[in-house]
Amino acid sequence: AEFPTVAFKACTQQQSRNLKQSRGAAVTAPEEVLAGSGCVGADVLLRVLANYSRSQDVKTALTVGVVGFPNVGKSSLINSLKRSRACRVGAEPGVTKCLQAVQLDRRLRLLDCPGVVAGGPGAA
């Protein structure tokens, strides 16, 4: 209840709109669905975020930051949920240069952040 965990696989298609999503949870998806290029687990993740928004009685749009190490799929996750190329993606780290807000619907906004690297200048 406090730390929900959702299995999720981002879309790997190169098209620009209507990125493929498979219905259902990733943990119960057949092998051929997981091996394909479509997104799996998006409906479950969106449901968790909607339930959080309702449980916290959020009156405005919920803003969720997507953070992590460079080149782990933060922008791909957002593109998969949006079902379009809202964020640039690439095989090399550092494609995302600055913070970008992506509105999924009237109640949910995602923040795409550059990769976080520990131990940079000034680190203790």
Side-chain angles (χ1 to χ4, degrees), residues 9-13 20 32-39:
K9 177 186 163 292
C11 183
T12 59
Q13 292 172 301
K20 184 178 177 184
E32 61 270 8
V33 171
L34 293 175
S37 62
C39 171

Side-chain angles (χ1 to χ4, degrees), residues 38-75:
C39 171
V40 182
D43 51 338
V44 177
L45 180 55
L46 290 170
R47 197 172 332 121
V48 167
L49 293 172
N51 287 342
Y52 178 81
S53 179
R54 277 194 297 274
S55 71
Q56 300 299 314
D57 199 27
V58 176
K59 299 295 183 204
T60 61
L62 178 67
T63 301
V64 177
V66 181
V67 297
F69 291 112
N71 217 38
V72 295
K74 297 177 295 294
S75 298

Side-chain angles (χ1 to χ4, degrees), residues 76-91:
S76 294
L77 176 134
I78 293 171
N79 287 344
S80 295
L81 293 177
K82 179 78 173 170
R83 297 193 62 174
S84 68
R85 295 279 182 226
C87 304
R88 287 185 56 229
V89 296

Side-chain angles (χ1 to χ4, degrees), residues 87 96 99 120:
C87 304
T96 303
L99 186 78

